[in-house]
Amino acid sequence: MQLVLGSRPSQPPLSDTALIQAVRKGRVELFRHLYRRHYAAVQAYASQCMPGPLHAHEVTSQVFAQLLQRMVSGEGFVGQRFPGCLRPQLLGNVRSTAITSWHRAREALSPDFRAWVEAGGRWPWGEDGQLALAFQRLPVTTQCLLWHSVVDRDDPASTARITGLALHAVRAAGEQARSALRQARTDLYLERLERQDCREVIKRLSQRPEAPPTTEEVADHLRVCPACMGVYKDVSRLDGQLEAQLPVRLLGWWTGQDYLRAKAAIPVPLDDPPFLTRLLERSRVETPAQRSRVRRAPAATAPRHRGRKGAASKRIVRRSRAAVAVIGFLTGVGVGMAALAACDQQRGGQGHPPSASRSSPAPDDQPSPEAPASPTLRATDRVSADAYTSQQGTTAGSDPGTRVLGSSALLHYDRVDFAGGDTLADARLAGPPGGGAWIELVLDSPARLPLARITPTADGSVHDISVPIIPADGAHRVYVTAHCPTTTEPCIELHAFGTAPSMPPAPL
């Protein structure tokens, strides 16, 4: 593969989201821009996980090939952490691919990464992990901007290309993103404060966290209230400590400056990766074959018509040939991916993602009009855990129809019908002994605030739990995620979830 040191290929003015949508619609050649845009980061991160550059390159190629397969097959990205940002998904796939190789041979990992895996691969949450929870509450676009500017520390030009922002707007947008994270962090504290005077003080301080308290009343409260003083110190120092705190909260295995230095030193390849080259060549071979079959088709026996009707018939024929060409291209893509899958199996590669029959569109995509609608699930009848449309990182539970979730897992259900008058969300589930875990139900997009947070009992047994909600109406996508204690993974066994009307008060 040809590499040019110190050179960066030109990038199209398309964001990652726009490129992904274009590849899904058949413009597979645009995948090369995603490959070049993220290659240095993925290769650098793989080099921190693997013992040498050749092993790292193998992992990098496998991660990108699987990404292309998911796009071509139509599989959505909702089953991943950070669904609106491609870079952290790619780095997470590097970790999982590397860990899979560790099961075959322990020496296949770098010493530091192997030690982290053997210790259980625990996330270094620090005190309470509140910063990561605050990050998860932010809109998808804000998360992606913070990731590239704070976690990956990409230059403004790269951040602008990835996010679709204008270059001159990156700095201001970054400041707004930090402010949104600071507010989300403050909101989490406000939810835990029970005293009204504490809540009022924190609300005032959140307006200008970088400035010292401006009123004697607030200063007096901070002197006698250690809880509020701790909140004030944490929020006021957040901007200065963000570069040190946020990466370890989000990546788990993080190699700090070593990764960043490696990324800066890795040149971007100018050639297409071999798996993309093979796919494009096969599609080019298949398309002329389809066209030649059209030209050899017997002519229609109907008499010719002149004038406007004849011209319309010629246009219809041209459109039909164009449609056949498109079908031929997509057929070639499918054949190419099948060939790649066969090659991967011969090399002992890892299993591929679920087939398109179990996949779903991304949260902001709309299904094509000709796609058959999935069967409607009724929330009032309770939705079985195994009735999902797609899943990521879950396993079958001990009882039939159940699923086990950890903090990185997700269940996605299409077309769940809600009754407009229901004011309770309920779930049948079991959590870890000692508690500390919960599930969240989110409607339509994982980036939205949860419809409900349901916490199982602390005794570890199966119970039916109900919580109040704002009534939802009509058919929605539902995403179920779990949040586990730092020492327990996975932690939730879900049997079913649904909604119900509020119970009337018992007669006196």
Side-chain angles (χ1 to χ4, degrees), residues 148-428:
H148 286 282
S149 60
V150 177
V151 178
D152 237 304
R153 304 185 195 178
D154 288 323
D155 60 85
S158 298
T159 302
R161 287 193 296 266
I162 290 169
T163 60
L165 290 170
L167 179 59
H168 64 82
V170 170
R171 181 180 297 275
E175 294 299 326
Q176 294 175 359
R178 287 170 179 257
S179 177
L181 179 62
R182 186 169 55 245
Q183 185 60 54
R185 173 90 166 166
T186 304
D187 290 342
L188 284 171
Y189 280 121
L190 289 173
E191 292 175 4
R192 297 190 300 177
L193 294 174
E194 298 179 357
R195 292 171 49 182
Q196 184 62 31
D197 57 340
C198 292
R199 296 174 61 86
E200 292 297 331
V201 167
I202 297 304
K203 285 181 180 179
R204 293 183 190 179
L205 292 173
S206 65
Q207 297 172 1
R208 293 189 62 194
E210 73 284 357
T214 56
T215 66
E216 190 66 25
E217 179 184 358
V218 173
D220 290 342
H221 182 90
L222 292 179
R223 280 193 290 267
V224 299
C225 183
C228 288
M229 177 58 78
V231 173
Y232 169 66
K233 289 181 178 180
D234 181 80
V235 175
S236 62
R237 297 172 182 171
L238 182 60
D239 283 351
Q241 299 178 353
L242 200 57
E243 283 78 7
Q245 292 181 356
L246 192 60
V248 296
R249 300 296 194 278
L250 299 182
L251 274 178
W253 162 254
W254 180 256
T255 55
Q257 295 299 322
D258 291 340
Y259 161 73
L260 297 177
R261 283 194 294 267
K263 183 177 68 169
I266 291 177
V268 176
L270 296 181
D271 294 340
D272 291 338
F275 59 85
L276 179 60
T277 301
R278 290 194 296 268
L279 181 58
L280 292 175
E281 289 176 350
R282 185 173 293 275
S283 66
R284 284 194 291 267
V285 170
E286 292 292 329
T287 301
Q290 293 288 341
R291 289 176 177 172
S292 65
R293 284 196 288 271
V294 173
R295 286 195 292 268
R296 288 197 299 269
T301 58
R304 292 184 177 180
H305 297 278
R306 296 181 179 179
R308 295 182 178 178
K309 291 185 178 179
S313 299
K314 292 179 180 179
R315 285 196 297 269
I316 292 173
V317 170
R318 286 196 295 269
R319 291 174 182 173
S320 299
R321 290 176 178 174
V324 171
V326 172
I327 293 173
F329 173 77
L330 296 178
T331 302
V333 169
V335 172
M337 293 312 301
L340 287 178
C343 293
D344 287 343
Q345 290 175 357
Q346 292 175 1
R347 290 193 303 264
Q350 304 307 311
H352 295 295
S355 64
S357 63
R358 293 293 293 174
S359 64
S360 64
D364 298 327
D365 291 347
Q366 296 296 329
S368 58
E370 64 273 20
S374 57
T376 300
L377 305 170
R378 294 179 60 85
T380 53
D381 296 337
R382 276 199 174 176
V383 178
S384 175
D386 66 348
Y388 58 84
T389 305
S390 65
Q391 65 85 28
Q392 176 68 29
T394 73
T395 57
S398 57
D399 294 332
T402 63
R403 302 298 297 182
V404 177
L405 297 87
S407 293
S408 60
L410 180 144
L411 291 168
H412 159 225
Y413 304 82
D414 263 348
R415 297 183 60 78
V416 179
D417 190 20
F418 288 81
D422 285 356
T423 57
L424 292 177
D426 60 11
R428 185 171 180 82

Side-chain angles (χ1 to χ4, degrees), residues 429-438 455-463 465 485 491-492:
L429 74 171
W438 67 86
T455 303
T457 59
D459 60 6
S461 59
V462 179
H463 286 279
I465 308 295
C491 64
I492 297 285

Side-chain angles (χ1 to χ4, degrees), residues 49-50 59 93-103 108-109 113:
C49 299
M50 307 304 291
V59 170
N93 290 341
V94 168
R95 282 198 308 275
S96 60
T97 303
I99 291 173
T100 301
S101 66
W102 171 75
H103 289 289
L109 302 182
F113 186 62

